Amino acid sequence: MSGRGSNLQALLDAAADPAFPAEIALVISNISGAYALERAAKAGVPTEIIPHKQYASRKEFDAAVDRALRAAGVEIVCLAGFMRLLTTGFVEGWNGRMLNIHPSLLPSFKGLHTHERALEAGVKLHGCTVHLVTPELDDGPIVVQAAVPVLAGDDADALAARVLEQEHRAYPLALRLLVEGKVAVDGARATVDAQGAGSLISPLP
Ligand code: GRF
């Protein structure tokens, strides 16, 4: 986490249900004042601050993150609003076991300022994607997507809020599917084997 952590909150809330198949073992932030840390503490989840500025290189920072994750017995990593690029070595070490959420319908609008760019492009559907992380930015196999309409009069904030609501549904679903072994990766694609709640949140199939 680097910031406010509303997606973290969605995961914490989901994991609070005894029926949810995963537990949140550790929350790591590279920013000491991140509100995400407070959210974790309130939920009784251990936190660790690993300030990237204290490391001479990305490689050393990533190695510290990796050590913390493995020491906590973490099996799956969820990136949420984590604003640092990760080294290929780190990403490969968590191959198939690291998720990210991106506020667009990938592969459209990789990178930053997705809502502004969606408005500029005049797309009529926008949304979010939870995907497995590969070394290339915003590019891994897609696990879950949710679409929202772009409405007349939307500004970037209004559109972001509509997408964020879906992010909070998509991320816990994607984590659950991955933990339950329902996500099969074949090259650049993931297929999801799930009855009912599949990989498409909105509109429902
Ligand atoms: C979300 O929109 C996420 O998709 C993007 O950054 C935002 C983080 O929000 N990468 P939060 O910190 O989870 O509230």
Side-chain angles (χ1 to χ4, degrees), residues 14-44:
D17 179 348
F20 194 76
E23 126 187 38
I24 314 291
L26 175 66
V27 171
I28 298 178
S29 176
N30 61 316
I31 310 275
S32 61
Y35 184 54
L37 294 165
E38 258 176 66
R39 295 182 189 270
K42 272 193 199 130

Side-chain angles (χ1 to χ4, degrees), residues 3-8 81 101-103 164 167:
R4 84 193 141 167
S6 72
N7 277 294
L8 167 65
I101 188 153
H102 183 74
L164 194 63
E167 292 184 38

Side-chain angles (χ1 to χ4, degrees), residues 27-199:
V27 171
I28 298 178
S29 176
N30 61 316
I31 310 275
S32 61
Y35 184 54
L37 294 165
E38 258 176 66
R39 295 182 189 270
K42 272 193 199 130
V45 171
T47 59
E48 205 154 324
I49 302 163
I50 305 182
H52 57 275
K53 287 184 184 149
Q54 283 181 15
Y55 295 86
S57 65
R58 277 189 200 282
K59 209 174 156 193
E60 284 168 53
F61 169 72
D62 285 4
V65 172
D66 197 73
R67 276 196 300 277
L69 291 169
R70 292 183 196 278
V74 165
E75 291 171 287
I76 292 180
V77 179
C78 294
L79 304 175
F82 184 70
M83 300 305 285
R84 306 284 307 163
L85 291 173
L86 294 164
T87 53
T88 300
F90 178 87
V91 172
E92 283 174 350
W94 291 93
N95 184 31
R97 299 187 298 139
M98 180 155 57
L99 292 168
N100 180 45
I101 188 153
H102 183 74
S104 78
L105 292 173
L106 289 173
S108 292
F109 310 121
K110 296 179 180 183
L112 296 174
H113 309 300
T114 57
H115 309 302
E116 287 85 345
R117 287 159 57 211
L119 289 172
E120 268 164 34
V123 295
K124 309 304 179 219
L125 281 174
H126 186 43
C128 63
T129 303
V130 184
H131 64 95
L132 287 162
V133 178
T134 53
E136 203 174 321
L137 188 70
D138 300 331
D139 192 64
I142 291 168
V143 179
V144 169
Q145 288 188 307
V148 301
V150 181
L151 302 179
D154 271 353
D155 59 13
D157 288 347
L159 187 53
R162 195 174 305 123
V163 171
L164 194 63
E165 211 177 294
Q166 297 303 323
E167 292 184 38
H168 298 160
R169 300 171 66 198
Y171 217 156
L173 172 61
L175 176 58
R176 181 160 67 73
L177 293 169
L178 186 63
V179 171
E180 288 176 343
K182 292 185 172 148
V183 179
V185 178
D186 177 14
R189 292 187 352 166
T191 47
V192 175
D193 168 24
Q195 290 176 339
S199 53

